[in-house]
Amino acid sequence: MRWNDRVKCLLKQRGMTQNSLISILKVNTQGAVGHYLNGRREPSYDQLVALADALGCTTDFILKGEDKQTGTGLIFDESNLGLHDFLKTLEIKLKNHELNDNFFCSL
């Protein structure tokens, strides 16, 4: 999964829109945001830090899909799904070899 795919996943999970990124990325239009989210443009260092702050994750997670502090690549917000249900679904997916990055985006 590329950085922009992780950002799109986080946006969806947090109920945010591309419009919410206009001021965060300091661009003028939603179209400009689309260039970032579609991988046609790369964020500057300052934009990357601002994205991480706004999305509640680390820059490591956005860039690499992992958080060095926790050692995890999971995107999980227990307010959207109870921990028990999450673990049950995770166990089933692991047993059936169905686990991939898209699973965590769909939570």
Side-chain angles (χ1 to χ4, degrees), residues 37-56:
L37 296 181
N38 290 317
R40 289 186 294 260
R41 292 196 67 189
E42 298 288 325
S44 68
Y45 173 79
D46 291 336
Q47 288 172 318
L48 185 61
V49 169
L51 271 174
D53 287 345
L55 295 170

Side-chain angles (χ1 to χ4, degrees), residues 4 7-8 11-12 15-38 40 51:
N4 53 313
V7 169
K8 286 190 275 190
L11 282 173
K12 178 180 174 186
M16 296 171 70
T17 65
Q18 286 188 15
N19 283 335
S20 62
L21 294 184
I22 292 173
S23 62
I24 293 164
L25 293 172
K26 297 183 180 174
V27 295
N28 295 322
T29 65
Q30 183 180 349
V33 172
H35 286 291
Y36 288 100
L37 296 181
N38 290 317
R40 289 186 294 260
L51 271 174

